[in-house]
Amino acid sequence: MLTTVAAGRVYDYSHCIGMYSQSGQGFWTPQDFVLGKNGRVYVLSRGVEQLGQRISKINLESEFQGQFGSFGGEDGRFIWPRSLDLDHDGRVFVSDEYSNRISVFDPEGAFRYHWGRTGSGQGELNGPSGLAFDSNDNIWVVDSMNHRAQRFSSTGEFQLGFGQQGANDGQLEMPWGIFIDRQDDIYIADWGNNRVQKFSPTGELLVKFEESSTGVGSLKGPSGVAVDSDGDVYVTDWGNHRVQIYDTDGQYITALVGDAQQPSPWTQTYIDANPEYIKARRRADMEPEWRFRRPVAVNVDADDRIIVLESYRHRLQIYNKLKDYEEHSLNL
């Protein structure tokens, strides 16, 4: 078992899920994922050009449960899908930063409706990215190219928004991911400013997560953010290929760099059927495959398992968080 210990916290690597696949079992340049009911996980693949855009339904035991969506501008299809989240009824909301719309599906993947208008005015979208629902089942949309966040009803009625382009406190530069905690406070991955900012539900800046005066905790293009039951904050440091961890006040704790030294069950099945595959990979002089490569999204489940999605390696890596370091160390 591979373990990271810091500040009384223990992170035990568990396993990984995923492999490259144009369709079916596997992912292709995945961008986001969300944890649903009964252990289901929805993983959004961006694909490339006109191939691979889809949402995969899996669980954390590596069971593939189907997929929905494909490339195109028609209803129920995507061109540049970026993020997804679930409302209280389990419906799947997906942002498409090319068509500037939000598409809605039922939990099994049947298309229901879409909404969104292109522009920079109030309630309009330009490059919608991260999505997150608040406790009232309203949806916050990271309006990336307009450098702001906006809140809508589930059917697309504009409610409020905040943010403008810039590097000062409370300003945003091409923001990406978003997370909403139990108090409805809003965490935004401020990609272009290399930081995460936490806001109140009305847009008041509360905390910044970024490089400290001693140089630790630096970020390079943060893409995703999540918070566990203790208030610890996890940030996918996309440009530095790691996950940075902070406490609730913004103090740096430690980093995860990836530990997938064993292939996922899906990959192992493919290797067993194609033994020449592993030989070719060894000859390719690749960097260590156990490490994160372009981590793009992170979530924490009800058991405080930390789940990290890697865009470049088309997989999820899962960690268990053990809170009692002294008790754990006695059992090592």
Side-chain angles (χ1 to χ4, degrees), residues 5-261:
V5 180
R9 299 157 174 87
V10 178
Y11 306 95
D12 274 341
Y13 172 76
S14 175
H15 63 288
C16 69
I17 302 170
M19 62 177 288
Y20 164 77
S21 175
Q22 294 187 18
S23 183
Q25 184 172 283
F27 318 126
W28 192 357
T29 318
Q31 297 295 298
D32 199 9
F33 72 105
V34 63
L35 307 175
K37 297 178 181 179
N38 301 317
R40 173 169 286 177
V41 182
Y42 297 86
V43 182
L44 175 64
S45 288
R46 189 179 179 94
V48 61
E49 296 181 347
Q50 300 182 12
L51 295 171
Q53 292 83 352
R54 66 188 185 275
I55 295 172
S56 302
K57 298 178 291 185
I58 67 168
N59 63 27
L60 294 182
E61 287 68 51
S62 299
E63 178 187 3
F64 177 72
Q65 301 173 347
Q67 65 183 44
F68 59 94
S70 59
F71 176 82
E74 300 85 1
D75 288 351
R77 295 187 169 193
F78 322 114
I79 297 179
W80 290 350
R82 176 60 80 181
S83 182
L84 78 171
D85 200 19
L86 308 179
D87 69 5
H88 291 176
D89 295 322
R91 294 183 300 177
V92 185
F93 287 65
V94 185
S95 63
D96 188 322
E97 63 178 352
Y98 181 89
S99 59
N100 295 313
R101 69 185 184 191
I102 311 299
S103 294
V104 184
F105 302 81
D106 73 15
E108 295 305 317
F111 174 76
R112 294 307 184 205
Y113 59 91
H114 65 72
W115 50 266
R117 303 188 312 274
T118 301
S120 58
Q122 187 179 80
E124 296 178 333
L125 300 170
N126 184 9
S129 181
L131 303 177
F133 278 90
D134 65 17
S135 62
N136 295 313
D137 228 16
N138 297 312
I139 186 170
W140 281 92
V141 180
V142 174
D143 189 10
S144 185
M145 299 307 294
N146 284 324
H147 315 284
R148 64 188 179 186
Q150 299 193 88
R151 193 181 78 192
F152 299 85
S153 72
S154 61
T155 52
E157 288 81 20
F158 172 78
Q159 296 176 344
L160 62 90
F162 64 85
Q164 60 179 324
Q165 187 173 17
N168 294 329
D169 287 356
Q171 295 181 325
L172 300 166
E173 182 68 37
M174 296 178 64
W176 191 334
I178 185 172
F179 179 86
I180 297 179
D181 67 17
R182 297 174 183 177
Q183 289 73 45
D184 279 338
D185 291 331
I186 303 158
Y187 301 71
I188 296 179
D190 190 4
W191 188 84
N193 286 322
N194 299 316
R195 64 190 179 186
V196 168
Q197 298 191 81
K198 177 184 177 181
F199 298 90
S200 74
T202 56
E204 176 190 1
L205 178 64
L206 302 175
V207 183
K208 293 187 296 181
F209 304 84
E210 58 186 347
E211 182 175 1
S212 72
S213 58
T214 59
V216 299
S218 64
L219 297 168
K220 183 179 180 182
S223 53
V225 57
V227 181
D228 69 17
S229 64
D230 298 316
D232 290 345
V233 179
Y234 302 83
V235 180
T236 45
D237 190 3
W238 182 84
N240 286 320
H241 313 292
R242 62 191 177 190
V243 173
Q244 299 279 60
I245 307 175
Y246 306 82
D247 70 15
T248 187
D249 297 319
Q251 298 298 309
Y252 173 78
I253 298 172
T254 190
L256 303 175
V257 298
D259 291 285
Q261 296 193 20

Side-chain angles (χ1 to χ4, degrees), residues 268-286:
Q268 190 61 56
T269 297
Y270 184 84
I271 291 172
D272 292 344
N274 301 273
E276 70 282 358
Y277 171 79
I278 194 67
K279 297 177 182 177
R281 293 182 73 82
R282 287 171 179 165
R283 290 194 298 267
D285 192 27
M286 301 176 69

